[in-house]
Amino acid sequence: MKANYLRLSVTDHCNLSCFYCRPFEAMRHLKREEFLSFEEISHLVRLAVDWGIRKVRITGGEPLLRNNIVELIEMLSGIEGIRDLPITTNGVKLEEFAPLLKKAGVSRVNVSLDSLNRKGFTRITGQDNLGQVLRGIKVAKKAGLEPIKINVVVLKGINEGEILDFINFALENNLIIRFIEYMPTNGLEQNDWYFSNFRVKEIIERKWGSLEPIPFFAGSVARYCKIDDTKAVLGFISPISQPFCHQCNRLRLTATGKLKPCLASNLEIDIRKPLGEKAGKHEIKILFDLAMKEKLKGRPEPPYQRNKYMFQIGG
Ligand code: SAM
């Protein structure tokens, strides 16, 4: 197996402060000059495509906060060999950006949304922005950034009561909802919030009857199901209860140019320095091959990397 999917983080800045992702104590951010420049990113992506990458997802932090992000997307969408260029966002700025993203070449959008009620949203994110996110999703649909996937991290005692609300939301708005298990990636072994997707499925099936599995999409880490008699497609991403390392086809690049073989791995391979030293195809191939070799060893055991939250890695 060789990865063909690169998750590209363009910033670690975010306009939400989800307590499990970007808590107060972790809010020391990179300076803008520490980020890879657009020229460095597009040069690297070109070399990565030569190596075998075909899909590049823009993420962060909140990617829509990176200055002139539309310009970067235009540069990337012009690279021959990229077949899919999606973006993952919290949706706060989507209302403003969706048409621009579509025009620049973004293929589709995933929106992270953990609560459908204003109080719950504010409790999780620290910001009263639910209205903006919901408007952003509507505008993204209109702009044709579909299919839109809504990613929900289910947290015990926080939003577990909203699972059926999310299903109704999906049905009403023709969206794909994916339930994601909380991962203790920051090394704090904070497991109090963990809520298994087996339980999520049980809650849905009690109301809607048996879910019908849909065959895996190649390389997908989500298991998809259908609710009978409806058009609703649901996804379950279960890194803890049903690890999917054998299916995972992705590498990650942080905003400062560190290549990570796996979300849970401590290994970071610096790409920025070789890029600055005019690395070409051959040098980059050696580094990507090294990441791949590490990846094939499988996920390291917890506890995961200390003091690294998802917003710093590029979730
Ligand atoms: N700002 C963008 C967004 O909100 O989609 C991209 C970055 S955000 C880090 C990506 C995703 O990681 C979000 O869906 C967030 O809920 C998820 N995430 C963050 N910490 C997580 C954790 N410990 N376990 C599982 N998912 C997590």
Side-chain angles (χ1 to χ4, degrees):
M1 209 258 282
K2 187 173 168 187
N4 59 10
Y5 172 10
L6 183 67
R7 293 183 66 101
L8 183 75
S9 175
V10 293
T11 180
D12 67 337
H13 296 206
C14 194
N15 41 4
L16 298 182
S17 315
C18 301
F19 63 80
Y20 63 92
C21 179
R22 201 174 74 99
F24 186 70
E25 71 271 12
M27 282 192 207
R28 213 165 28 83
H29 288 108
L30 296 166
K31 297 193 188 92
R32 292 184 194 282
E33 59 270 23
E34 292 177 81
F35 297 150
L36 288 181
S37 69
F38 288 179
E39 288 67 31
E40 285 171 317
I41 294 174
S42 47
H43 180 49
L44 172 62
V45 168
R46 228 171 254 120
L47 297 172
V49 167
D50 262 329
W51 179 79
I53 294 295
R54 292 291 173 267
K55 167 175 169 183
V56 176
R57 176 179 295 280
I58 316 286
T59 181
E62 172 47 41
L64 298 182
L65 291 185
R66 177 76 191 251
N67 281 344
N68 305 317
I69 182 70
V70 175
E71 204 179 289
L72 173 67
I73 288 162
E74 279 165 357
M75 290 163 84
L76 297 183
S77 68
I79 295 176
E80 207 176 314
I82 296 184
R83 298 197 190 123
D84 198 8
L85 186 61
I87 190 165
T88 291
T89 171
N90 60 31
V92 174
K93 290 173 84 71
L94 203 48
E95 188 178 11
E96 170 193 346
F97 273 94
L100 302 171
L101 296 176
K102 179 71 186 174
K103 198 161 164 236
V106 166
S107 45
R108 58 209 164 77
V109 67
N110 287 2
V111 180
S112 304
L113 178 60
D114 297 337
S115 179
L116 288 170
N117 75 71
R118 195 170 160 190
K119 231 168 131 187
F121 183 96
T122 308
R123 178 180 177 202
I124 294 171
T125 66
Q127 301 292 327
D128 186 8
N129 286 143
L130 177 64
Q132 272 112 303
V133 177
L134 297 179
R135 287 199 300 278
I137 292 170
K138 281 211 169 89
V139 176
K141 279 192 77 170
K142 226 181 189 169
L145 288 167
E146 290 185 294
I148 298 178
K149 293 180 186 147
I150 306 294
N151 289 332
V152 186
V153 177
V154 182
L155 301 160
K156 186 160 84 187
I158 308 285
N159 61 354
E160 65 181 86
E162 292 196 52
I163 292 165
L164 295 178
D165 297 342
F166 273 105
I167 305 287
N168 290 332
F169 180 64
L171 285 167
E172 281 160 18
N173 296 286
N174 200 15
L175 302 163
I176 298 175
I177 296 281
R178 304 195 305 173
F179 295 103
I180 302 177
E181 287 180 348
Y182 166 74
M183 277 185 288
T185 48
N186 54 25
L188 299 177
E189 296 169 68
Q190 166 58 281
N191 257 324
D192 300 351
W193 301 315
Y194 175 71
F195 194 86
S196 153
N197 263 340
F198 285 116
R199 289 183 64 195
V200 175
K201 206 166 167 224
E202 254 173 43
I203 291 170
I204 299 169
E205 290 190 325
R206 223 178 292 139
K207 160 83 182 159
W208 289 95
S210 288
L211 297 177
E212 194 186 310
I214 301 176
F216 264 33
F217 302 125
S220 171
V221 296
R223 289 156 208 266
Y224 286 97
C225 298
K226 246 181 19 189
I227 294 185
D228 247 1
D229 298 332
T230 73
K231 282 201 221 129
V233 173
L234 311 179
F236 296 92
I237 302 180
S238 316
I240 307 295
S241 67
Q242 290 187 287
F244 39 69
C245 298
H246 59 291
Q247 278 279 120
C248 177
N249 63 349
R250 60 201 63 190
L251 294 174
R252 293 180 146 81
L253 190 77
T254 70
T256 57
K258 303 275 195 292
L259 189 63
K260 284 185 79 75
C262 164
L263 198 52
S265 166
N266 286 339
L267 182 70
E268 295 188 334
I269 300 167
D270 183 42
I271 302 277
R272 171 173 239 167
K273 192 156 176 272
L275 269 187
E277 290 161 359
K278 303 276 172 278
K281 259 191 216 179
H282 179 66
E283 291 80 3
I284 294 299
K285 178 180 181 310
I286 291 171
L287 298 174
F288 272 67
D289 283 348
L290 174 62
M292 206 53 228
K293 199 170 148 210
E294 279 303 311
K295 186 173 184 64
L296 291 173
K297 289 182 187 164
R299 183 165 82 181
E301 290 301 313
Y304 301 131
Q305 187 163 355
R306 299 233 166 250
N307 304 321
K308 272 263 163 153
Y309 287 86
M310 208 75 97
F311 80 95
Q312 293 160 319
I313 304 169

